[in-house]
Amino acid sequence: MLRSLPRLSTASTSSQPAYLVLGAGSAGSVITHRLREAGESVVLVDAGGWGNQGVEKTGIKTNPLHFWKFSMPSALTYNLDPSSKYNYHYHTTKQPTMNNRSIDQPRGKVIGGSSNLNAMVYIRGNAGDFDTWSEIIPEDGGIDWSYKSCLPYFKRAQRDLTPERPFPDLEPGGTDVEDVKKYKGYGGPLSVTNGSTFSTKTYPGKPKVLNRSPLFDVIVKAGVEAGYKYTPDFNGKLAQSQEGFGPMDQTVSSRGERCSTELAYITPHLDSSGSPTPGLTILPSHRVSRINFSGKKAVSATLIDSTGTEKTITPTKEIISCLGSIGTPQVLMCSGVGPASELSKHSIPLVHDSPSMGSNLQDHLEFYVQFHSKKPVTLFPVGNWFPYPWYRVMVGLEWIFNEGAGLAGSNQFETGGFIRSRPGIKFPDIQYHFVPGAVVGQSSFLPHHAYQAHCGTLRPTSRGSITLNSSDTSVSPNIDPKYLSTEEDVKDLREAFRLTDEILHMPAFDDYRGDKLGHKDVDVDDDDQVDKWIRNNSHSAYHPCGTCAMGTVTDSTGKVKGVEGIRVVDASLMPNMTSGNLNSPVIMMAEKIADDILGKKQMEPEDVDVWFNEEWESKQR
C-alpha cells in the first residue's frame, strides 16, 4: 500500500495562554502534550518548521516533499548536511587539544528538534547515572531523580514494540517474561523497536532488494569472544547495567517511520486538516529574542518571525524554556540572567547574577575504527549514488510501498555494546554503535565495502561552557566543550581505542576483516601515536548537556534559581551526562517535570533489580 502523504499543518490562535513553551524539541513536545492532555492552553514556539508532518513553513512557502528526510530511518544523515534548512549547524570554538579543529555541533531547527535529526538510538542510560543525580541534586521538597523514581517515567513514555528476547544468564532454560516487563512501557507515545524488525521484513511475492548485513551479529559474537556478556536488551531486565553486546533499540514506529517527538507527542493534538486543536497554538519559524522580566519575575517573551516582525506572548502561569543546552543558556543570558561579568561585556541589563549559567558543558566524544570487508555484505551499494544508483532508489521504494520494509526502515545501528575501560569502574564507560559501512564525518560513505565501530567514552571529566558572541539571539554563541582538557579523558579514549582494536580482531571477524581504514599506520601500543590519531579523528556524538544544571542554575524541578516564572526543561538540566544517547533520558525528564508543573504527585518509585558485575573492582570484564 502507498504510504499516506503527510498533512499540511497550520497554527490555531490563542490570545493569552496559560503556558508559553519555548522550543518544540524533545522536551518541549513532551511538555506541550502533557499540558494539553490536562486541559491547559499552550503556545508552542520554535525557530524551525515542520518535520515529520512534511512541512517546512517560511512565510507562505511549503515543501511537503521533504517528509522522507525525517520519516525514513535510514535517511538520518540527510539533515546533517550543510545545506539542510532543518539544522542550526553550530560549530565549537577551535579546540587546541584536537589539533585546533572546530567541531560540528548540529542541532535540530525543526518541530521535534534533534529527535527529527538524530540517529534514533533508544538508550535510557545507566541506573547508576540517576542514582548519582539523586546524590548531588538537593531535592528541596521537589523531585527525586534516583533510578527507581525515574523508571516509571521511562515506562510512561515508551510504547515497546520489540519482540521478547531471551536472557540466557537469568535462569537456566528460559526467561522470566513477566519480570522483563517490569522495565518496559507498552502504552506510551514513543514507539521503540529494533531495526532488524524492518530490515528483515518481507512480503509474499515481493523479493527483498538487499538483505540485512550479517555483520550486525558478528560484532556481538566478537564481543562475547572477547569475554564480555551477551545483553539482549540494553533497556530491559538486568540490562540497566548495560554491560555487554547485543541488539540496540531505536525510536521507530510500527510502520517503519522515525518516531520523533513531533510524531509521538505533537501530532495527537492536530485535527484532520493538520491544524492544532483548540487550546494549542504552534508558532513555527519564530525565534525567541528575549524573555521579559518585571523585577525578578519572567512575564513574557518577545519573538521574531521570518519577516522580522516582533510579537510578545504573555502567559498567565509560566514560561518553560526547552531550547536545549545551547539555546536555553543563550536566551537566558540575553534576557539578563547569567554571569554578571559575561552580560556586562554585551551591555545586557542584569536581572539576576547566575554565575554558573552556561558552564558545566559536557559532550560525548567518539571516533570510528574502520576495516575493509572481504565480503560484499555492507551498506556500500546503498551508501552512495554511484556506482549502484538503482539500489538506493529501489530500497527507498521498498520502504514507501511495503509499510517500512527493507533496509530503509532501520537506522542501521542495530547492534552495539557497553563495556568498562578498566577495573574499578562500576558500570560501563565506553559505548559502541556498530555500522556495516564506513563513513567520513556523519554523512558521506566511503566507496568501499567496509564496516566500522563507533566508539566513545560515556562520562568525560572535561567541562566547557556556552558564552555570548552578541546580545542578539540570532548570532550563534561561543560553544567551547574543552574536549580532552583532562588527562583522565585522554587516557580513557586511548584505552577505548585499544579495546576496540582487540574486539575487531576476534575470530568472529576473520572471514570479513580486510585492511585497516584510516588507522593503518597507528601502532596500537604507542601512547603518542594513539593520542595523536584520536586528537585528529575524534568528533562530537552531538550530546551537549549540563549548561543549566539542576543543583546550581536550577532546582530539582527545573525552576531557574533567583527568578520567578521561568523553568527549564531540556538536556541543559543534567548535572552529569547519562551513559548513552541523550534523547530517551531527556524525554523521561520532561515527562517527570510535567507532573510537577501540573501540581501532580510524582509517580510511585519502582524497586527493581539492577545488575552490576560482582567483580567490577578487580576485573575489567
Side-chain angles (χ1 to χ4, degrees):
M1 181 183 294
L2 179 65
R3 299 164 70 84
S4 58
L5 286 176
R7 302 186 300 252
L8 303 185
S9 302
T10 58
S12 66
T13 58
S14 175
S15 57
Q16 194 173 34
Y19 293 93
L20 173 58
V21 180
L22 307 177
S26 293
S29 297
V30 174
I31 293 293
T32 298
H33 172 73
R34 295 304 178 190
L35 292 177
R36 284 300 304 128
E37 191 177 55
E40 298 285 357
S41 59
V42 178
V43 170
L44 175 63
V45 177
D46 201 271
W50 291 96
N52 266 0
Q53 284 301 100
V55 180
E56 183 214 4
K57 290 193 168 187
T58 307
I60 61 171
K61 297 178 182 178
T62 62
N63 188 346
L65 300 180
H66 287 189
F67 81 96
W68 62 274
K69 292 185 178 181
F70 301 98
S71 294
M72 184 187 289
S74 68
L76 61 101
T77 62
Y78 274 92
N79 289 313
L80 299 179
D81 188 90
S83 65
S84 173
K85 302 175 183 178
Y86 307 103
N87 190 335
Y88 280 101
H89 298 294
Y90 290 126
H91 292 82
T92 69
T93 58
K94 291 182 178 181
Q95 299 294 291
T97 56
M98 297 181 68
N99 201 21
N100 219 32
R101 292 185 293 139
S102 177
I103 307 301
D104 289 349
Q105 193 60 254
R107 310 308 301 157
K109 190 178 182 181
V110 62
I111 306 296
S114 295
S115 76
N116 254 327
L117 269 68
N118 68 10
M120 293 158 280
V121 176
Y122 180 82
I123 292 292
R124 292 176 177 177
N126 195 282
D129 297 324
F130 305 104
D131 289 338
T132 300
W133 284 12
S134 71
E135 295 171 2
I136 62 179
I137 302 171
E139 197 170 328
D140 297 330
I143 290 179
D144 173 21
W145 289 98
S146 65
Y147 173 67
K148 65 181 181 180
S149 296
C150 292
L151 179 58
Y153 289 96
F154 278 119
K155 292 167 64 176
R156 184 169 87 174
Q158 183 181 18
R159 181 182 298 273
D160 187 71
L161 304 173
T162 57
E164 298 297 346
R165 302 168 186 167
F167 283 75
D169 54 352
L170 286 188
E171 295 179 4
T175 299
D176 185 344
V177 174
E178 290 305 313
D179 210 24
V180 170
K181 290 184 177 180
K182 290 180 182 179
Y183 297 79
K184 291 176 169 289
Y186 296 91
L190 188 71
S191 295
V192 176
T193 187
N194 183 265
S196 61
T197 303
F198 298 100
S199 61
T200 60
K201 189 175 182 179
T202 59
Y203 281 85
K206 295 182 179 181
K208 290 186 65 60
V209 177
L210 289 169
N211 290 318
R212 176 181 184 264
S213 174
L215 290 168
F216 284 124
D217 299 322
V218 171
I219 184 66
V220 177
K221 292 177 183 177
V224 172
E225 287 176 346
Y228 302 102
K229 67 192 289 280
Y230 168 60
T231 300
D233 189 340
F234 293 121
N235 302 296
K237 169 68 174 175
L238 299 191
Q240 295 303 329
S241 71
Q242 299 175 310
E243 192 163 334
F245 284 78
M248 190 172 282
D249 289 342
Q250 57 189 257
T251 50
V252 172
S253 77
S254 60
R255 286 173 53 83
E257 299 171 312
R258 172 192 289 271
C259 190
S260 67
T261 54
E262 176 197 10
L263 187 67
Y265 286 92
I266 297 300
T267 55
H269 301 283
L270 304 178
D271 64 22
S272 59
S273 70
S275 299
T277 52
L280 173 62
T281 298
I282 299 177
L283 299 177
S285 302
H286 281 68
R287 172 174 58 86
V288 181
S289 176
R290 63 185 178 277
I291 297 166
N292 304 305
F293 286 82
S294 176
K296 294 278 188 176
K297 184 176 182 179
V299 294
S300 65
T302 298
L303 316 174
I304 300 178
D305 69 16
S306 57
T307 68
T309 303
E310 283 194 0
K311 67 176 65 174
T312 298
I313 306 292
T314 305
T316 60
K317 292 187 177 179
E318 195 170 324
I319 298 172
I320 305 167
S321 179
C322 305
L323 296 165
S325 294
I326 297 170
T328 284
Q330 180 190 22
V331 166
L332 283 169
M333 286 189 283
C334 287
S335 304
V337 180
S341 58
E342 176 67 14
L343 272 56
S344 66
K345 294 177 186 176
H346 303 281
S347 302
I348 299 171
L350 182 67
V351 172
H352 175 68
D353 182 13
S354 180
S356 297
M357 179 71 71
S359 64
N360 193 48
L361 175 62
Q362 301 161 59
D363 190 18
H364 288 137
L365 201 60
E366 64 180 19
F367 51 76
Y368 306 152
V369 178
Q370 303 171 324
F371 284 86
H372 283 280
S373 174
K374 292 190 291 187
K375 293 186 177 182
V377 292
T378 75
L379 295 174
F380 168 55
V382 293
N384 297 290
W385 282 110
F386 298 102
Y388 309 111
W390 56 89
Y391 277 129
R392 221 176 211 202
V393 173
M394 291 171 66
V395 164
L397 292 175
E398 180 181 32
W399 175 80
I400 290 173
F401 289 99
N402 294 346
E403 297 183 1
L407 297 188
S410 168
N411 65 356
Q412 301 301 323
F413 289 104
E414 295 183 15
T415 54
F418 292 85
I419 66 174
R420 293 175 295 114
S421 61
R422 60 184 184 275
I425 302 294
K426 189 173 183 180
F427 52 93
D429 59 340
I430 294 173
Q431 180 179 9
Y432 292 102
H433 302 77
F434 182 80
V435 183
V439 300
V440 177
Q442 294 278 20
S443 57
S444 301
F445 271 80
L446 293 172
H448 316 288
H449 276 291
Y451 55 86
Q452 67 186 34
H454 293 217
C455 176
T457 48
L458 293 172
R459 294 186 295 281
T461 57
S462 299
R463 296 292 183 269
S465 63
I466 302 292
T467 55
L468 297 178
N469 270 316
S470 169
S471 60
D472 183 350
T473 58
S474 69
V475 178
S476 296
N478 291 308
I479 304 167
D480 183 9
K482 292 185 168 57
Y483 293 126
L484 301 178
S485 58
T486 69
E487 185 59 28
E488 183 176 351
D489 287 355
V490 175
K491 289 180 179 178
D492 286 349
L493 272 177
R494 182 193 305 149
E495 189 58 31
F497 178 87
R498 288 170 174 159
L499 291 168
T500 305
D501 186 75
E502 176 193 18
I503 293 165
L504 295 180
H505 278 91
M506 287 292 113
F509 275 108
D510 285 352
D511 289 341
Y512 303 92
R513 187 176 52 253
D515 293 336
K516 295 178 180 180
L517 267 169
H519 66 293
K520 62 181 178 180
D521 296 325
V522 178
D523 181 348
V524 175
D525 297 318
D526 187 303
D527 288 358
D528 290 339
Q529 287 190 31
V530 172
D531 291 352
K532 180 180 179 181
W533 184 88
I534 288 171
R535 294 181 192 280
N536 287 334
N537 292 279
S538 296
H539 55 266
S540 171
Y542 310 151
H543 297 161
C545 66
T547 51
C548 296
M550 290 184 286
T552 53
V553 174
T554 54
D555 68 12
S556 65
T557 68
K559 293 178 180 176
V560 180
K561 292 183 176 183
V563 293
E564 300 174 13
I566 176 74
R567 188 190 305 247
V568 173
V569 188
D570 55 39
S572 70
L573 292 179
M574 293 182 175
N576 291 328
M577 299 195 79
T578 54
S579 301
N581 309 72
L582 299 194
N583 195 47
S584 172
V586 167
I587 290 169
M588 176 278 294
M589 293 165 70
E591 289 275 11
K592 197 166 170 61
I593 294 176
D595 275 357
D596 188 78
I597 293 170
L598 291 166
K600 292 183 177 181
K601 182 182 177 182
Q602 292 281 294
M603 296 176 73
E604 287 297 317
E606 298 185 23
D607 280 316
V608 291
D609 294 330
V610 177
W611 183 89
F612 293 105
N613 191 316
E614 293 180 354
E615 299 180 297
W616 66 269
E617 292 180 293
S618 59
K619 293 185 177 181
Q620 181 263 331
R621 66 190 87 173

